Amino acid sequence: MRTAVSPMLVRLADERATGVLVRDHGALYLADGQIVHAESPAAPGLDVLLTASGRLRPEHWADAVAQAGARNEVARFLVDSGQVAGGELEICHLGALFDAAFFALAPGSGPTRFRYGVAHWIGAVRPVPAQVVEREARRRGRLLDSLWPYPEMDTAPVERSPHTTELTVSPRQQALLNLADGVRTPAAIARKLGRPAFNTLIEVRRLAAAGLIQIRAEPAEPTEPTAISEIAEPPAMLDSALLRRLRDALEASL
Amino acid sequence: MPGIDECLLEAMLVPGARGAAVVDWISGLALGSVGEPSGSDHEATAAETAELARMATEYGAFAPEEPAVDDDSGKAKGPPVEDLIVTTRTGYHVVRFVETTFDSSVFLHLWLDRELGNLALARLRLSDLAERLVLG
């Protein structure tokens, strides 16, 4: 069995701790050792997921936070006031929780801190055992790798591939491709569409594997081409085996 | 119906039910699961079912010819693919796509015993459950 992504999280779950675990790329909120909420700058929050689609108006979200935030019951307020159905809120919140947790649990070099007693204002929705969240984060890493092993796609501006193909895409994929303008990163596209960031990474890697999307090609150098620039490989051509070895070495050293 | 757990427990009341789950078909995440998994565990079952569901939503062969939005009322007509049915030697699988008002990719999966289950009944019950899960 592989070692835990975060040994500290395992320990906190064992001691049924309540508080917030802050890591390099995000934060996990625990209540009695279970994960009740997660946040990451890389993942759209519940507010974005609910408002981007027009499901909830931004002012209604702000009102819910203002009215129930102080008593940590924003989720309950949204359901009790009839603005979002209980099932919908659970689907949306769980999606956001696992999404942010994937980024929060990504290997990082910075310190991990835990602040006891801190609760998030969203309140109780549907707690998830810490080991389930951790196992899912590992599965997600493997899934991305198996689809198209180029992690640099996750954070780079992406654009539609210039080559036309006979492939048809679904309306969901088309909506994503329409936003791939060579400026937006997959995370920016996710935010715009109101979809979880990980789901967008998955779709981007699948579309890349199908030859429909690529990292933005660097504009052609205006200076006369030299032998060196012809030899230099663009980032997309990086050897995937080398990337895997690098990542494994990084993970092993943690 | 208040949430995922209640929805899954109701799904298990369908005659012949052996296992049920709510799954995201893009990430393969099981948002909730009850009963027996039809695969090696709930996690693997969710990931594999998600793959089947994803293909059904993406391939043009299964896309309805009519537009997704009603011309007169301007309202969405429901998910393009409503459900998937897989019949095996010993069981039935019914996958029902859940339609939410925000951008999501979730379905209900119900696994039934072939001897005890009634496919037509299970399909109707699951479609009703999928609707109530998001209506509250």
Side-chain angles (χ1 to χ4, degrees), chain B residues 2-135:
Chain B
I4 292 171
D5 286 330
E6 292 76 9
C7 174
L8 289 175
L9 290 176
E10 269 203 53
M12 289 302 284
L13 296 177
V14 174
R18 295 186 65 178
V22 176
V23 179
D24 179 305
W25 47 262
I26 302 264
S27 66
L29 167 72
L31 283 85
S33 45
V34 287
E36 299 169 76
S38 58
S40 54
D41 56 45
H42 281 295
E43 190 184 73
T45 302
E48 289 169 13
T49 318
E51 204 48 16
L52 181 67
R54 182 181 66 80
M55 285 196 260
T57 64
E58 284 180 4
Y59 288 139
F62 307 114
E65 298 124 16
E66 44 185 273
V69 176
D70 194 279
D71 290 336
D72 299 328
S73 66
K75 282 184 183 161
K77 279 180 178 169
V81 178
E82 294 179 348
D83 41 27
L84 299 173
I85 291 165
V86 176
T87 308
T88 72
R89 198 148 39 75
T90 57
Y92 297 124
H93 295 266
V94 185
V95 164
R96 177 77 195 190
F97 289 92
V98 178
E99 214 188 4
T100 57
T101 46
F102 60 96
D103 197 320
S104 72
S105 44
V106 169
F107 63 79
L108 273 169
H109 173 208
L110 179 61
W111 178 40
L112 303 141
D113 181 279
R114 181 147 179 168
E115 292 291 309
L116 303 171
N118 176 322
L119 191 53
L121 173 73
R123 185 179 165 267
L124 287 175
R125 292 279 284 275
L126 209 59
S127 106
D128 175 54
L129 279 173
E131 217 166 274
R132 279 158 55 218
L133 173 62
V134 293
L135 285 180

Side-chain angles (χ1 to χ4, degrees), chain A residues 12-112:
Chain A
L12 292 165
D14 286 346
E15 68 180 51
R16 301 172 59 87
T18 295
V20 59
L21 181 73
V22 182
R23 302 184 93 234
D24 269 6
H25 303 292
L28 302 173
Y29 288 81
L30 283 82
D32 291 325
Q34 294 204 306
I35 297 186
V36 288
H37 189 69
E39 281 177 350
S40 167
L46 190 61
D47 54 334
V48 176
L49 299 181
L50 286 173
T51 58
S53 57
R55 173 68 187 82
L56 192 67
R57 294 168 70 96
E59 56 266 35
H60 290 159
W61 170 266
D63 180 55
V65 175
Q67 295 220 29
R71 56 177 199 272
N72 294 342
E73 284 184 356
V74 173
R76 170 178 290 207
F77 180 87
L78 285 169
V79 174
D80 288 353
S81 59
Q83 301 188 70
V84 182
E88 264 192 322
L89 188 81
E90 283 190 4
I91 291 170
C92 201
H93 184 259
L94 277 176
L97 186 157
F98 280 98
D99 194 32
F102 171 69
F103 297 100
L105 289 171
S109 52
T112 299

